[in-house]
Amino acid sequence: MNRVVIKLTGKLFSPENVKVLMEIADIIIEHKKRGLKLAVVVGGGETARKYISMASEAGVSLGWQDILGINASRVNAVLFSALLGDYAYYPIPTRIEEFIHAWNLDKIAVGGGLQPGQSNNAVAASLAELLNAELLINATTVDGVYDRDPRIDPNARILKELTIKELKNVLSQSYAPGKYELLDPIAISIIERAKLNIVFINAFKPYMLKSVLSGEKTYGSWVIP
Amino acid sequence: MNRVVIKLTGKLFSPENVKVLMEIADIIIEHKKRGLKLAVVVGGGETARKYISMASEAGVSLGWQDILGINASRVNAVLFSALLGDYAYYPIPTRIEEFIHAWNLDKIAVGGGLQPGQSNNAVAASLAELLNAELLINATTVDGVYDRDPRIDPNARILKELTIKELKNVLSQSYAPGKYELLDPIAISIIERAKLNIVFINAFKPYMLKSVLSGEKTYGSWVIP
Amino acid sequence: MNRVVIKLTGKLFSPENVKVLMEIADIIIEHKKRGLKLAVVVGGGETARKYISMASEAGVSLGWQDILGINASRVNAVLFSALLGDYAYYPIPTRIEEFIHAWNLDKIAVGGGLQPGQSNNAVAASLAELLNAELLINATTVDGVYDRDPRIDPNARILKELTIKELKNVLSQSYAPGKYELLDPIAISIIERAKLNIVFINAFKPYMLKSVLSGEKTYGSWVIP
Amino acid sequence: MNRVVIKLTGKLFSPENVKVLMEIADIIIEHKKRGLKLAVVVGGGETARKYISMASEAGVSLGWQDILGINASRVNAVLFSALLGDYAYYPIPTRIEEFIHAWNLDKIAVGGGLQPGQSNNAVAASLAELLNAELLINATTVDGVYDRDPRIDPNARILKELTIKELKNVLSQSYAPGKYELLDPIAISIIERAKLNIVFINAFKPYMLKSVLSGEKTYGSWVIP
Amino acid sequence: MNRVVIKLTGKLFSPENVKVLMEIADIIIEHKKRGLKLAVVVGGGETARKYISMASEAGVSLGWQDILGINASRVNAVLFSALLGDYAYYPIPTRIEEFIHAWNLDKIAVGGGLQPGQSNNAVAASLAELLNAELLINATTVDGVYDRDPRIDPNARILKELTIKELKNVLSQSYAPGKYELLDPIAISIIERAKLNIVFINAFKPYMLKSVLSGEKTYGSWVIP
Amino acid sequence: MNRVVIKLTGKLFSPENVKVLMEIADIIIEHKKRGLKLAVVVGGGETARKYISMASEAGVSLGWQDILGINASRVNAVLFSALLGDYAYYPIPTRIEEFIHAWNLDKIAVGGGLQPGQSNNAVAASLAELLNAELLINATTVDGVYDRDPRIDPNARILKELTIKELKNVLSQSYAPGKYELLDPIAISIIERAKLNIVFINAFKPYMLKSVLSGEKTYGSWVIP
């Protein structure tokens, strides 16, 4: 596996998760040294939610709330870039062209959102398509895609492998900023048309990322295009 | 009416339509002089289709086909900007921030597509939301939204007014580059969340644009948010 | 008074202060409509501190901690720009040249930090010098410059007027990111060489800003160049 | 031969020539892998002509017609970049500095025109000078420089080798946008002052390009500085 | 007269000419206040010559010598912009698109050279064409175009009016960087195709500029298109 | 030693020093080929002083005088970049982010000043901190730091090694543009917080630079963090 796009949940970017972030950065550097080409998209997390909430209270439109979420996700991207040191592409990409630019220069671009009305997952999917990635790794807050809502149903279990059609059945999303879960319809449509390989893993268990980057299929939910 | 976003179909940008383009530009300039604030999004038209088709033949991914379509739509934007003279914002915006920038500086930004996987209609809808536009004018190839497909059913008639829900029932789209019609799901979702006012008119009948900009509701299909 | 630079403490940018921010934005818009030219520099506040602290825990250098603080302050700038609507210059300036650009175009540029090792107060002072501002308004967390530390000494009182020399005697700063108070030595040196007029007011009491912008000298500590 | 600038005629960028374009891209990639440093300038071709003609009909000045031609040539550059994949510098250079940038980063910059009043051949010549190129390959629509006009005189023959002085005698150009042939006076003057080596080959016969890049002098017209 | 492009000789930018520069800036500001739209192109002068000479000694190519001359001319542009204060567009344009941008925003763009192999006069001519200027004022070191070389022939006299054809007969240029005089062939060709009105005046006699901007034809040599 | 930031005095950039500049460029290229990562900051020298003096005479503020000095230093940076050929990052960085960008791409960025009120030494110190440099080489006009002013006291001698505290005792600076000597307080404060290693050598004796880059401690004054 040589070409990978990683989506990191914004929930990682909280003071209590610094050690996890450092571990993830080290795993990525290690694989970069071995020749892996990769790009990283990070979510906005609690910072995004804070600013969206403030903007909402101030009566700012949902479009501008998106812009705030995007800018917040970029601060996360700066932090993660700082952890990657010389391996990172800097400054933070704010257009999809810059991600391509960084990729071709063999640097790890770490970016956040790009445009209002577009989830970070859609950015990651679009990148995976443009960069001809072999795998899109969606590192989220759960161990994979459950067959039922694990917060409600204790019998919910991880689906080891599923088709894109099955994935669509599982998912249900709303479009309010900062609330996109797993994958929104736009991301799904890009994934479908580009026939992307995706795996959902738990970002808070970095050994899962390490395993996936090593070419193993031990963890996570794998979506068959 | 003071704040308007106009989406012009890319089909206007063919040698046989130069006179129509000039007429549209004159109407826009005339209303700009009277204090109207506006932004314009143009489609890629036949140039986009040509490059997408060439890229497709060369085995280039759909994402890169989108990028070609976007770049083609920007050439259309340059042509239309040249027709607007000093009233235009130049250079052509390539990010949504630049549209906002131009708007705040009271210049007419004319842009094309912005990102792969995002239709020009979605760009226009997103702009209308961010710029707090009172109306999104979708100037397309037909006189409005028909209750049935007018190419098949001769009894098809224009809907003078319809709800966003009714609009969704009418529409059906595919996601291949250059094939978006009227409005794709992403554009629809932005329109819904932002409660935008939209009117669909025929771009090839500039008197319709003139009428709409004058505040009349004589032509087109009006979508009630 | 026609040319003003305002420095807003980053502490304003917390969920509990949204109403204050809105009030400040309204006051600024109101004076902009009357012909005031102005630029705004905002601090990084709690968001900056959060990221600096995370970076510090991760062993990132102070220089990169500054960069994180700068990026955080820019999110605050986006939020404040959103409140200013069409009056704001957008996107957020990231170089001093962009502030000048916005100023000359008669738009309100709202920016944050610009460079590691440079406080937001130094940015504001540098701007005031370059833009030939008649007044630099430093809206901070206290009502002005005290003759003693008000947190320690209950008899501390606001100095209504003081020379730059007296100000220097009062101040003592450290250079760690996010900890600059009132004015650091770099800001002081620019203020001295440019012979700037400054007033320190309480950002959390917007009537003070309103009063100052109206040309009154009722509130705050005024520094005589 | 290690440092080469290639000028590709815009006439290649038509649907019927996709296979030729792919072949050329493959040849370039193959030589890039072997360590060749190169930059590519593409013409505007039929797309440029279409927009120039539309602009002309609309009464737009020749300067703006040039700008349209430049923008059209950039769409060709995007298409060709897509064919080069990771080897390409992206986004498309719009300033000569970006070509230098790409070159120093060891990526293949593919660009079009840069400025009104300047032919793509002048861009290529200027680049060859700045990049200290050993050879400027002008891939055009004919097999080389003829001693007479081959469209008129059936006895016209290719000049295998000619001095820059002889070349100047052969050439005669007009300055209308999109009509530059072989080399305009500006390109000639740069070629003379920089003492550039040039070869004219037929772009539609990719084996000629392959042969030239392999260091052979079998095909084309070689200009001795 | 409402739309003017001014070319200022770089020879103005020497310590002994500060007062002249200030006078010119004041005249320009005065006419700007009355509604004149204008753009300014400045030459590189002695700074350009110094760097070109250093680069030449170091064996740097003529193309890079041009780049040094361009960069030197931009420092002159910064100085002149500083004299124009709020009326100037800042930062200095480095692409022709930025000149158009500044013009449309009703700011005075002051720029220098743009590209190697292109004289500042060609830049000014190209701008005059794109901006649809009514007059190109070429403020040089002499009072106008002489019928003979005034340095050699004491009977040389200023031509009050001449055709572009007559101008071409008078002029003879070389292409070495920093040595372009009056107008080079590229500038001439743009002037011809765009049918520009030009007047040559003496930059060191600011009353000539004042007179020309006031609509008088008292001074200088006027070229009839 | 693998990571170095070099500050070159602007005094090098005069016609009489071209040979020295070429020698320095050759030494840097030689070490770059061996794997050294480096960034270079150059001063404004006599060109900066000339423009600052002109601006001062014209009554331009000290802030704008700084901007002129910065732009002058960038012309020096272009000249030095031209000497580095393909090894240089081009265009010249104008933001600290671009220096980081160039560094990560393994190219030699040569820049000048960045912001008014900030010396080139502060830029170099800030870069050394951000790039995690092992050594900051300050190539100035003297052989090192003297214990007394060598222009006054003939018994002044070079300090081979000194603490940052001792350095501070030696130095005394003023803040007027173009007059910063050795290190200003801002640079000092960054050096202190980042615990940078610094050596002061004579730029006009390139063998000193060669020696230092080779890892020797034979020449210059070494500051112990």
Side-chain angles (χ1 to χ4, degrees), chain B residues 9-223:
Chain B
T9 172
K11 295 212 174 70
L12 282 168
F13 293 85
S14 295
E16 64 273 22
N17 301 323
V18 172
K19 290 284 174 283
V20 180
L21 281 170
M22 291 170 74
E23 225 177 310
I24 294 173
D26 286 345
I27 291 166
I28 286 174
I29 289 173
E30 188 191 334
H31 282 84
K32 182 73 194 166
K33 284 181 182 165
R34 295 183 197 157
L36 182 70
K37 283 178 88 82
L38 82 164
V40 180
V41 178
V42 301
E46 66 179 33
T47 307
R49 272 189 301 282
K50 186 178 86 170
Y51 282 93
I52 287 167
S53 146
M54 288 170 72
S56 171
E57 189 188 335
V60 167
S61 73
L62 289 167
W64 275 94
Q65 290 178 35
D66 273 356
I67 287 183
L68 279 157
I70 288 167
N71 277 277
S73 69
R74 286 179 188 157
V75 186
N76 292 341
V78 175
L79 177 56
F80 199 69
S81 291
L83 300 183
L84 295 178
D86 293 4
Y87 297 95
Y89 178 91
Y90 194 79
I92 298 308
T94 60
R95 303 200 303 172
I96 207 125
E97 281 89 347
E98 292 174 72
F99 274 105
I100 300 170
H101 182 70
W103 178 275
N104 287 4
L105 293 173
D106 218 15
K107 287 286 144 186
I108 309 172
V110 184
L114 295 178
Q115 296 240 336
Q118 185 190 40
S119 72
N120 293 332
N121 283 317
V123 172
S126 194
L127 270 180
E129 182 185 37
L130 290 169
L131 301 174
N132 200 19
E134 292 155 89
L135 184 63
L136 167 55
I137 302 173
N138 200 321
T140 178
T141 55
V142 286
D143 288 9
V145 181
Y146 287 83
D147 55 354
R148 278 156 288 178
D149 186 335
R151 289 166 301 187
I152 294 165
D153 188 337
N155 294 322
R157 59 176 193 84
I158 301 279
L159 297 162
K160 284 294 240 176
E161 213 174 75
L162 66 169
T163 62
I164 186 80
K165 204 175 168 185
E166 288 166 336
L167 178 64
K168 284 163 78 173
N169 289 337
V170 172
L171 301 170
S172 69
Q173 291 85 4
S174 77
Y175 273 86
K179 290 195 178 163
Y180 304 113
E181 303 254 348
L182 290 175
L183 291 179
D184 56 298
I186 308 168
I188 289 282
S189 73
I190 295 168
I191 288 163
E192 278 188 298
R193 80 177 196 181
K195 297 187 175 41
L196 297 176
N197 290 293
I198 321 167
V199 62
F200 293 90
I201 55 171
N202 194 329
F204 295 87
K205 298 176 180 170
Y207 60 85
M208 287 190 172
L209 177 62
K210 190 169 185 170
S211 165
V212 167
L213 288 178
S214 303
E216 297 167 8
K217 289 206 149 196
T218 316
Y219 302 107
S221 294
W222 295 76
V223 180

Side-chain angles (χ1 to χ4, degrees), chain F residues 10-21:
Chain F
K11 295 213 175 68
L12 283 168
F13 294 85
S14 295
E16 63 273 22
N17 301 323
V18 172
K19 290 283 173 283
V20 179
L21 281 169

Side-chain angles (χ1 to χ4, degrees), chain E residues 129-196:
Chain E
E129 182 184 39
L130 290 169
L131 301 174
N132 199 19
E134 292 155 89
L135 184 63
L136 168 54
I137 302 173
N138 199 321
T140 178
T141 54
V142 285
D143 288 8
V145 181
Y146 287 83
D147 53 356
R148 278 157 288 178
D149 188 334
R151 289 166 301 188
I152 294 166
D153 188 336
N155 294 322
R157 59 178 193 82
I158 301 279
L159 297 162
K160 284 296 242 176
E161 210 174 79
L162 67 168
T163 62
I164 186 82
K165 205 175 166 186
E166 288 166 335
L167 178 63
K168 284 164 77 175
N169 288 337
V170 173
L171 301 170
S172 68
Q173 291 83 3
S174 77
Y175 273 86
K179 292 195 177 164
Y180 304 112
E181 302 255 347
L182 290 175
L183 291 178
D184 58 297
I186 308 167
I188 289 282
S189 73
I190 295 167
I191 288 163
E192 278 188 299
R193 80 176 198 184
K195 298 188 176 42
L196 297 177

